Amino acid sequence: MKYFHNLKYIFFALSVAVFTSCDIDEFLNPVPDTAISADSYFQTDADVLSGIIGIYDALQGVNENTESNNSDFNRGVQFEYLLTEHRSDNTRSATLEGSRADFHRYVTDANSIQSEDYYQSMYEIIFRANSVINYVAAADASNIAKYTAEAKFLRAYAYFNLVRLYGSDDDTIGSVPLVTSVVASNEVELLFTRAPKSKVYEQIVEDLQEAVSTLDNSYKARASRGAAQGLLAKVYLSQPSPNASGAKSLCEAIIAEATFSLEGNFSDVFYNELNNEVMFVIRYDFGNENESQGFSSEFTSFNRQGRQDGLNIVNPNLIAAFVANGGNRTAVSYTAFGDDADLPVPQAAEVAKFLPDGSDVTTDSSLPTYGTLPRDAGNDWIVLRYADVLLMHVEATLGVSGATSTSDSNALSSFNAVRNRAGLANDADGSITQEELLLERRVELAFENQRFFDLLRFGVADTVLQNHSAEDNDEDISVYPSYNARKLLLPIPSREINLSKGLLNQNPGY
Amino acid sequence: MKQKLNTFKNITTIVLSVFALIFVVSCEEAFEFDLPETGSIADATLPSANFSTAPNPENFKIIKFTNASSEATNYVWDFGENGVVCDTTTVNGVHGVIVCGDESTSTEIDVSFVKFNAGEGDYQVTLTALDANNASGVQTQTVEVRDVFVPINPIVINGNMEVGFTPSWNIEAFTDGTKTPPNTSSDGSPIDYDEVDTGSKTKGMKFAASTSNPANAGSRRYAYQALTVSPTTVDRTVKYIVEYQYAIKVAASAGSNITVQILDGHFNDGKDALAASVLTTSVASELLGKGVFTTVKKEFTSNASGLISIWIFGDTDQDAYIDNVKVYPKP
């Protein structure tokens, strides 16, 4: 009985111990033992580095060959040609079947799976970048600045794509939600309020400036100073009030530093990976379905290798531009098969810049072959290359002068360098107009998802695309009556609007 | 029996009462606590009106309005008292002819053709954007209608007469005549095409006695060149200048001349060109001597098609020369 008598003291002592040792916050929000959360993950420098690599993983996108389900699979850049090239006058889908065939006809609606996926993919990059920036303190002190700058470069890249595709110029509508910190899913005001376009551009510029001043040129497949300079130059030229002189000095800095140079052979730009010309690429591994890309196979049609009947099929009016101004770029850029191979201007030609390993499209024009694993292609995606910077240098020089043409000797030497590499003579009259520059960019950077943004930046998108879709345009084989100026913006995906519970508004015309 | 009837009466009464009760109660009572708007979410995204404008490339008075409103389904445009809504139709097989009505409002999404007949000026245009709840947004913009017309400046091929006249100055065929163009000559004007005086003579075009005798139609030579200029329309008169330099030998008999005409249309056969209606004729007949060039400018109004041609011939018994033929918009 004596024990029982003491027992109440033992209970008392135990309860005191329990109460004093219990940190209420940790007790109610325990860090799980069996799952990894962001809070517990970032402990060492290696963890932060793997977080950085995780952002590149989001950037790379998921090959469609891994998972046939269409919805929300973070395809990212592997769908980008639909949202850009297809919506310019460059390319189209071979058939009218499925929502991928909506883009080139300007009938994409807010339920488009591809647009929704791309939108989400870009925010996936942004959220992963925000997460790394938030937990970067766990890294070695000497690496903190570098890691932060790298994450910010990638965040800027994603916002730059989003703001150009979805962002309205009209501040009462807004551009895209601007999220620059780790947010919880209940912070709906922050997640679903579209910031003014100028605000988003301010953030992009700030992030890229940090990348320019912090990074070096060690990598081509990871953020580098050169890539940040080049991307920032393009941002300066694209923003609502362009900063042409800023873009010009950035291009001049890249040219003067001579880290990058034009490949002598145009084909090597695409088939000699990590060559001297590329400045920022997204890498893929051939044959590894988790690290490969699917777009190379989607670009085939005559002997189709992809899941569709052929995407990014070249429009006749682009081929006409190649015939007149392509030089030796023509044969590298596209090929035609069967009856089309004999036409001076093929009606249906296929992109040849990203043929999968083992392809042979030249031996027999009626039987092209594409190697063993075309759907797991390893061709890198080129985000930025030196020729683009040289032509941006001309564009910035034109912008600074404010005139309709320029005879500036530095601009001419940049322009002629690109022409000469293509086997073409120097510019004939020694004066470059905006039209000449736009044409040069069109053939040099065809199928690299630049044309649509170029048209926007040069302020001629509506005129060119109106003409492209018009009934009396005999250079093109199709008519797209659904086109109007509102189609220059994609709709905000319905899924986002539904998740926002009515907070997000829609773009005009959708 | 009486009793039975009474029972039946009662049952009927009861049944009817119950039915009546259900009718009265069912709607009122069943939803007593549910207001009609229960569960609906207020519309947080209200319509906002906005639009952009672009002038028609062929007629500055016609403006294209593109809707940029958001969150709206219905639209009301008001173009004010000066603007009328037009549309394109097919007239006599010609597509895309713009026909204007007298309406100054529209409920279309975009209005591609609105004509401001008063011409240059600032006009107030109002767009009201409505959604299905009849919530609305309104925007009024001042539309600046300005004439920024720049007439086509045609290029006269080989206007300086420096190279052979085929294919620049010959006509394709000539029924009852010769399609051979006039002679080339090294005795042209000392003035270059860009009006710089070179000090020494350049090449020119020559009409010799044998190639410019009206009495010998079969060997009379003509210079012909087709041009395209900006057409004159109901809304705009476009004036051009034809300019050239000529010289005729002093020994030529009085009345000798070179004639420059602007013809209405393009022609394949010289016979049709001779019969064509003429927009302007310039006869140059001063006999100042070989090498002494006189500049002549003659104004004309372009035709409705914009297709014109230059037609040059001589009527002279001594050599006559012509050089530096130009056609340009009247400054």
Side-chain angles (χ1 to χ4, degrees), chain A residues 211-226:
Chain A
V212 168
S213 60
T214 312
L215 297 173
D216 55 26
N217 285 331
S218 325
Y219 301 107
K220 284 177 187 294
R222 283 175 63 182
S224 67
R225 188 174 70 250

Side-chain angles (χ1 to χ4, degrees), chain B residues 29-50:
Chain B
E29 306 259 310
F31 299 109
E32 190 184 2
F33 302 108
D34 279 353
L35 294 168
E37 295 288 307
T38 301
S40 66
I41 300 171
D43 185 3
T45 47
L46 298 173
S48 118
N50 195 3

Side-chain angles (χ1 to χ4, degrees), chain A residues 239-259:
Chain A
Q239 62 190 19
S241 43
N243 174 2
S245 61
K248 186 169 177 242
S249 55
L250 282 165
C251 292
E252 282 168 353
I254 297 170
I255 294 167
E257 215 172 304
T259 311

Side-chain angles (χ1 to χ4, degrees), chain A residues 56 59-60 77 80 118 122 153-154 157-158 160-161 164 220-221 227-228 230-231 234 269-270 277-284 295 354 380-386 388-389 392 441 445 447-450 453:
Chain A
Y56 289 101
L59 190 69
Q60 191 184 48
V77 72
E80 196 176 76
Y118 188 82
M122 289 303 118
F153 170 88
L154 295 165
Y157 164 81
F160 190 36
N161 288 334
R164 289 182 293 175
K220 284 177 187 294
L231 197 60
K234 199 170 277 180
V269 177
F270 306 96
E277 180 163 343
V278 297
M279 301 172 68
F280 183 54
V281 295
I282 299 173
R283 297 224 70 190
Y284 295 100
F295 57 79
F354 307 99
D380 291 352
W381 178 256
I382 301 168
V383 174
L384 188 70
R385 61 184 172 96
Y386 189 58
D388 192 354
V389 170
M392 273 199 285
R441 285 189 67 86
L445 301 166
F447 323 123
E448 294 177 47
N449 300 355
Q450 299 291 335
F453 295 135

Side-chain angles (χ1 to χ4, degrees), chain B residues 34-116:
Chain B
D34 279 353
L35 294 168
E37 295 288 307
T38 301
S40 66
I41 300 171
D43 185 3
T45 47
L46 298 173
S48 118
N50 195 3
F51 59 93
S52 62
T53 60
N56 188 292
E58 271 144 37
N59 188 336
F60 78 96
K61 292 177 184 173
I62 296 178
I63 307 289
K64 173 183 170 181
F65 288 85
T66 304
N67 208 320
S69 305
S70 59
E71 304 294 338
T73 52
N74 296 316
Y75 308 95
V76 180
W77 293 91
D78 183 353
F79 300 108
E81 54 190 13
N82 289 298
V84 289
V85 178
C86 313
D87 205 353
T88 53
T89 56
T90 302
V91 177
N92 300 329
V94 181
H95 298 287
V97 177
I98 298 172
V99 177
C100 296
D102 49 13
E103 286 291 318
S104 65
T105 61
S106 171
T107 54
E108 296 289 314
I109 299 178
D110 298 318
V111 190
S112 298
F113 307 97
V114 176
K115 190 168 184 185
F116 293 89

Side-chain angles (χ1 to χ4, degrees), chain A residues 111-285:
Chain A
N111 294 313
S112 165
I113 283 174
Q114 290 77 29
S115 164
E116 178 183 308
D117 187 292
Y118 188 82
Y119 186 95
Q120 286 189 329
S121 301
M122 289 303 118
Y123 275 108
E124 185 70 40
I125 295 171
I126 290 163
F127 287 175
R128 289 190 192 185
N130 285 342
S131 184
V132 167
I133 295 165
N134 190 49
Y135 294 106
V136 76
D140 294 349
S142 57
N143 286 335
I144 288 180
K146 210 174 72 184
Y147 288 160
T148 309
E150 203 168 347
K152 286 188 172 175
F153 170 88
L154 295 165
R155 182 169 75 181
Y157 164 81
Y159 271 123
F160 190 36
N161 288 334
L162 282 171
V163 77
R164 289 182 293 175
L165 290 168
Y166 298 93
S168 169
D169 290 326
D170 185 345
D171 282 353
T172 59
I173 298 171
S175 60
V176 290
L178 183 61
V179 183
T180 54
S181 55
V182 174
V183 287
S185 58
N186 59 357
E187 294 178 60
V188 287
E189 284 284 339
L190 190 57
L191 283 168
F192 296 117
T193 304
R194 297 170 69 182
K197 198 171 202 172
S198 53
K199 204 93 194 277
V200 177
Y201 269 106
E202 270 170 37
Q203 184 66 45
I204 295 170
V205 167
E206 193 188 307
D207 283 352
L208 287 175
Q209 281 173 342
E210 187 173 331
V212 168
S213 60
T214 312
L215 297 173
D216 55 26
N217 285 331
S218 325
Y219 301 107
K220 284 177 187 294
R222 283 175 63 182
S224 67
R225 188 174 70 250
Q229 285 170 318
L231 197 60
L232 182 56
K234 199 170 277 180
V235 169
Y236 278 153
L237 293 168
S238 308
Q239 62 190 19
S241 43
N243 174 2
S245 61
K248 186 169 177 242
S249 55
L250 282 165
C251 292
E252 282 168 353
I254 297 170
I255 294 167
E257 215 172 304
T259 311
F260 307 96
S261 59
L262 289 180
E263 282 291 308
N265 183 348
F266 190 64
S267 170
D268 288 344
V269 177
F270 306 96
Y271 293 104
N272 177 16
E273 303 208 319
L274 302 180
N275 57 69
N276 291 328
E277 180 163 343
V278 297
M279 301 172 68
F280 183 54
V281 295
I282 299 173
R283 297 224 70 190
Y284 295 100
D285 272 351

